[in-house]
Amino acid sequence: MSIFIKQIILNKMRQITPEDVIEYSGQYGFSISRQQATDIATYVRTKRLNPFESKEREKMLQDLSEITDRQTALKANKLFHELIKSYGLEHLFN
């Protein structure tokens, strides 16, 4: 079952749009520009990093800091962990 759930998550990541990024940022209390949203969506869709591995999540956080800024990247990281927890998926992320 976890392989199936992981594949759903990866598919969603590969289909994210700038509009999705802007919507999520507003929903979770941080703001980003349209250009940042476009850059983030492009990054998430094109990079083949594995979000289920902590080392690769750290790399994504670093890259996100370069695309936006450190504060926005930290908020996005917090959001990521809150979403994982709220869906009960902690066991998939090591």
Side-chain angles (χ1 to χ4, degrees), residues 1-93:
M1 179 65 148
S2 67
I3 293 171
F4 178 71
I5 293 170
K6 285 181 177 182
Q7 193 59 46
I8 290 172
I9 293 167
L10 291 173
N11 285 340
K12 177 59 180 168
M13 288 176 63
R14 291 184 182 124
Q15 295 174 6
I16 198 162
T17 65
E19 291 78 18
D20 293 332
V21 175
I22 290 171
E23 182 179 332
Y24 291 138
S25 72
Q27 209 173 359
Y28 293 96
F30 59 97
S31 60
I32 57 172
S33 70
R34 175 79 178 158
Q35 184 60 52
Q36 288 172 326
T38 299
D39 293 345
I40 291 167
T42 299
Y43 173 83
V44 170
R45 282 194 320 264
T46 59
K47 295 292 180 182
R48 295 297 180 194
L49 297 175
N50 181 356
F52 304 103
E53 298 292 331
S54 63
K55 193 175 212 177
E56 296 210 25
R57 282 194 309 276
E58 288 175 24
K59 170 70 172 135
M60 290 184 343
L61 179 62
Q62 264 184 334
D63 292 346
L64 183 57
S65 291
E66 293 173 14
I67 292 169
T68 59
D69 57 61
R70 182 78 176 148
Q71 185 177 5
T72 301
L74 291 172
K75 287 180 184 178
N77 189 49
K78 181 179 178 188
L79 165 62
F80 182 73
H81 289 286
E82 287 175 10
L83 287 171
I84 291 168
K85 188 175 181 180
S86 72
Y87 285 103
L89 300 174
E90 300 98 327
H91 64 283
L92 297 178
F93 297 86

